[in-house]
Amino acid sequence: MKNIIKHKQKFKGRANILFLHGYGQNKEMMYPLAKRVKNTANYIIIDLPGNENNPLSKPYTIKDYVTYIEEILDRENFIPDIIVGHSFGGKLATFYALKHPTTLLLLAPSIIKPSFSIKKFFKIVLYKIFKNLKKVKIIKNIPAFLKGSRDYQSTSGINRLTFLNIVNSYLNKKKLSSLSNEVYIVYGNSDQEITYKQMQKLNKYCPNSHLIVINGDHFAYLLNVNAIANLILAIIRETC
């Protein structure tokens, strides 16, 4: 299949790893990690629907994405022992693990709902005001900084509907406490997309979790590829 990269060898004792990239990214983003563990593990990297390599055919929900992953894994006869997911991929990995208990390595996952923000609240209010002013032709354009996140502004049509479906899908304490396998959370100390407080909550809610802080931003795993690869190898030794 063109929408996956895979490395499978029929040796006993090899762990199966599934890699899931972040929103708007592609399978190549996870390959630097995968290629560093190919001597020890089998892996599949999925190109998730919604990027240039795998366009959406309809608006997707989290449930649709999980079904898509299940179908590919079933077709490939591949049961993951570990799922490595970045950002949105970490969210998907966690939703998948609620149905199929699996060890998780979550890289800056977007799972916990952000705390209420006065700044965001006023931006929404201002956006609605400017939208009404534009509607009655008092102004021509709404200021760009009020139009939502960079990811939101980069989408349209079914991609935007999908974005709205997935960005507002979070997991609460009750759901996360039901995760039975080990959960490893990696957070970059300069991340501007996910807060440390969100990661602390995730670590608190998951009964078998471990929070690891490293240097870097939201893509800290790419700045620390060897360290994360070594962590994957350590998880294999510990859990597989």
Side-chain angles (χ1 to χ4, degrees), residues 76-123:
E76 294 293 326
N77 192 27
F78 191 91
I79 300 174
D81 300 298
I82 302 168
I83 305 180
V84 180
H86 171 242
S87 195
F88 171 58
K91 176 183 285 187
L92 280 182
T94 309
F95 273 90
Y96 176 90
L98 289 171
K99 293 179 66 178
H100 313 277
T102 311
T103 298
L104 299 175
L105 173 53
L106 308 177
L107 310 171
S110 54
I111 296 170
I112 299 293
K113 186 176 182 179
S115 300
F116 175 78
S117 166
I118 291 291
K119 181 179 178 181
K120 185 175 182 180
F121 172 77
F122 279 111
K123 281 184 70 174

Side-chain angles (χ1 to χ4, degrees), residues 42-107:
N42 300 318
Y43 65 76
I44 285 180
I45 314 173
I46 294 179
D47 234 341
L48 296 168
N51 63 33
E52 69 279 5
N53 299 331
N54 191 6
L56 288 165
S57 58
K58 65 174 186 176
Y60 264 49
T61 63
I62 291 290
K63 183 179 179 180
D64 291 323
Y65 274 105
V66 172
T67 299
Y68 182 85
I69 292 168
E70 290 172 332
E71 289 174 349
I72 287 182
L73 295 180
D74 184 60
R75 190 179 305 130
E76 294 293 326
N77 192 27
F78 191 91
I79 300 174
D81 300 298
I82 302 168
I83 305 180
V84 180
H86 171 242
S87 195
F88 171 58
K91 176 183 285 187
L92 280 182
T94 309
F95 273 90
Y96 176 90
L98 289 171
K99 293 179 66 178
H100 313 277
T102 311
T103 298
L104 299 175
L105 173 53
L106 308 177
L107 310 171

Side-chain angles (χ1 to χ4, degrees), residues 141-184:
N141 297 303
I142 300 172
F145 78 95
L146 294 177
K147 292 182 179 179
S149 68
R150 179 180 56 196
D151 284 337
Y152 175 81
Q153 292 185 52
S154 69
T155 61
S156 61
I158 59 176
N159 286 73
R160 178 163 292 183
L161 292 174
T162 296
F163 177 79
L164 292 174
N165 285 338
I166 63 177
V167 76
N168 294 312
S169 297
Y170 298 104
L171 289 167
N172 58 30
K173 180 179 179 179
K174 183 178 180 180
K175 286 284 188 181
L176 291 168
S177 65
S178 68
L179 290 170
S180 58
N181 287 52
E182 298 288 323
V183 178
Y184 298 83

